[in-house]
Amino acid sequence: MAEFMTETAERSAVVPRPGTSGERAGRSGDGAAGPLDGQEAAALLERTRALVDPELRAAFASLPGSMRRVALYHFGWQHADGTPAAGNAGKAIRPALVLAAATALGGPAARAAAVRAAAAVELVHNFTLLHDDVMDRDTARRHRPTAWTVFGDPDAILAGDALQALALRMLAEDPHPAAVPAASRLAACVVELCAGQHTDTDLESRAPDDVTLDEVLVMAEAKTGALIGCACAVGALYAGAGDEEVAALDGFGRQAGLAFQLIDDVIGIWGDPRNTGKPAGADLAARKKSLPVVAALTSGTPAATELADLYAKPHHGQDAEAAAEIARTAQAVERAGGRDWAQAEAADRMARAVQELARAVPDPEAAGGLLALAEFVTRRSS
């Protein structure tokens, strides 16, 4: 285990800023992720889409037409008019983690058995995206208009509900002995996700100086870490793992998921819209109390006071003056230390994730797929 900790800590120590060369740096022993890591993760994600997409398409075929068209549009497989599209269905990170965890603990046979469960996890993830877009009034996802902007709120919400139901039905009809505990874990995860989303929306209505960093970290673990941890745990269940291994993989996923959310929040402020598919500064315009923002607000610096004043005023408009105001807000977050804190905290959470993973999978080679995926999501720019 000591060898595992040394090797993986070196690989996970640095989380570069989006847009820097660190995203594609070599695996050279300097702590940067390497092309082998990126290539390994890309291959895992591509293989996951090839395995999971047929399961998803078959599940969509059972939906009523009104909900099916929204689901197919959301996944990028149809245009709004119902004609076929070859769009972006997402990176498939969560189903890839299911399959990687099953492989790490049970080999190829466990991976093959877990494909339906991986599809179920992807359905739950997309159920949350459909609902989040409605609640957050986000107008773009995956480089195209969000479902609610095309079909309206009711259709988008109902399609999300249908995806959640499909996920649980897929597990209910799976004869594998792990299907029942996996369904139970996934259902509990959905409750946690809803609680996290409720906290998130509640925080948005509170004054900038009335939100603590601990609150936002707990909320982020519930909203993001819970499903990533659940994905890893479901994979472990399908490999026949014991309770301690399942718990350790859940812990790995939760910590890696929190690192993911930290980087996602950084990208939400400083990411390039050409990569993210979302308008520049959308989170700041919505006055979201993301992790870098709250870290900045609670820093006690002059920039924190400036940021609180900016956040106390609603953002309006799409003109040059509005864009300049967003730029000033982003600069205030950075000067107050929010960006640096988020980068450092993401690296720390990845180190904790490595510790959890070592408990369940002591062999670094067997854990390679899980590590490659975790490194991929914390070193991305979109």
Side-chain angles (χ1 to χ4, degrees), residues 242-268:
D243 290 346
E244 290 187 8
E245 292 168 316
V246 172
L249 277 182
D250 181 81
F252 161 76
R254 283 176 179 271
Q255 293 298 330
L258 199 42
F260 171 94
Q261 187 60 57
L262 284 154
I263 298 306
D264 196 63
D265 285 353
V266 168
I267 293 169

Side-chain angles (χ1 to χ4, degrees), residues 88-176:
N88 177 11
K91 296 181 178 69
I93 290 164
R94 291 155 188 81
L97 286 167
V98 174
L99 300 183
T103 304
L105 289 168
R111 179 180 63 222
V115 170
R116 185 180 294 186
V121 169
E122 180 73 340
L123 287 172
V124 165
H125 173 54
N126 281 275
F127 137 69
T128 69
L129 296 183
L130 283 162
H131 284 198
D132 283 358
D133 285 344
V134 172
M135 286 183 275
D136 296 341
R137 310 316 286 172
D138 285 337
T139 58
R141 181 175 293 282
R142 299 168 182 164
H143 303 278
R144 68 198 317 221
T146 47
W148 72 267
T149 67
V150 175
F151 302 102
D153 289 358
D155 280 5
I157 292 168
L158 290 170
D161 293 341
L163 294 190
Q164 183 192 178
L166 278 181
L168 294 176
R169 190 178 77 185
M170 289 180 79
L171 290 174
E173 294 175 351
D174 188 350
H176 194 282

Side-chain angles (χ1 to χ4, degrees), residues 61-379:
S62 69
L63 289 174
S66 58
M67 297 175 196
R68 183 169 63 250
R69 68 171 185 160
V70 179
L72 289 169
Y73 172 85
H74 172 74
F75 272 78
W77 295 336
Q78 278 189 4
H79 296 296
D81 63 4
T83 57
N88 177 11
K91 296 181 178 69
I93 290 164
R94 291 155 188 81
L97 286 167
V98 174
L99 300 183
T103 304
L105 289 168
R111 179 180 63 222
V115 170
R116 185 180 294 186
V121 169
E122 180 73 340
L123 287 172
V124 165
H125 173 54
N126 281 275
F127 137 69
T128 69
L129 296 183
L130 283 162
H131 284 198
D132 283 358
D133 285 344
V134 172
M135 286 183 275
D136 296 341
R137 310 316 286 172
D138 285 337
T139 58
R141 181 175 293 282
R142 299 168 182 164
H143 303 278
R144 68 198 317 221
T146 47
W148 72 267
T149 67
V150 175
F151 302 102
D153 289 358
D155 280 5
I157 292 168
L158 290 170
D161 293 341
L163 294 190
Q164 183 192 178
L166 278 181
L168 294 176
R169 190 178 77 185
M170 289 180 79
L171 290 174
E173 294 175 351
D174 188 350
H176 194 282
V180 171
S184 176
R185 183 172 285 268
L186 191 58
C189 179
V190 169
V191 174
E192 187 173 359
L193 290 170
C194 292
Q197 179 65 14
H198 179 271
T199 301
D200 190 22
T201 55
D202 178 63
L203 293 176
E204 297 312 306
S205 65
R206 288 162 56 182
D209 60 357
D210 188 36
V211 178
T212 69
L213 196 50
D214 284 344
E215 283 182 293
V216 184
L217 283 166
V218 170
M219 177 271 294
E221 180 178 341
K223 276 195 65 175
T224 303
L227 186 56
I228 292 179
C230 181
C232 296
V234 166
L237 287 170
Y238 272 75
D243 290 346
E244 290 187 8
E245 292 168 316
V246 172
L249 277 182
D250 181 81
F252 161 76
R254 283 176 179 271
Q255 293 298 330
L258 199 42
F260 171 94
Q261 187 60 57
L262 284 154
I263 298 306
D264 196 63
D265 285 353
V266 168
I267 293 169
I269 298 173
W270 294 282
D272 186 337
R274 291 171 297 181
N275 294 328
T276 65
K278 295 183 178 182
D283 286 357
L284 297 178
R287 300 304 192 234
K288 289 189 70 65
K289 296 181 180 70
S290 62
L291 287 157
V293 167
V294 176
L297 285 168
T298 56
S299 66
T301 62
T305 302
E306 178 187 351
L307 178 61
D309 290 341
L310 287 165
Y311 251 56
K313 305 170 186 175
H315 174 78
H316 297 294
Q318 302 290 330
D319 57 12
E321 184 178 349
E325 188 262 348
I326 289 297
R328 289 196 303 273
T329 306
Q331 290 164 7
V333 176
E334 185 151 16
R335 284 188 285 107
R339 184 172 186 165
D340 287 341
W341 173 86
Q343 296 281 2
E345 185 70 13
D348 179 64
R349 295 295 175 164
M350 272 301 298
R352 298 187 198 187
V354 166
Q355 292 178 332
E356 292 288 345
L357 182 57
R359 290 173 49 210
V361 192
D363 179 8
E365 185 174 351
L370 288 165
L371 280 171
L373 290 168
E375 290 176 357
F376 172 81
V377 300
T378 55
R379 298 170 189 270

Side-chain angles (χ1 to χ4, degrees), residues 26-42:
R27 186 192 287 183
S28 57
D30 62 355
L36 291 179
D37 295 323
Q39 291 171 11
E40 183 179 359

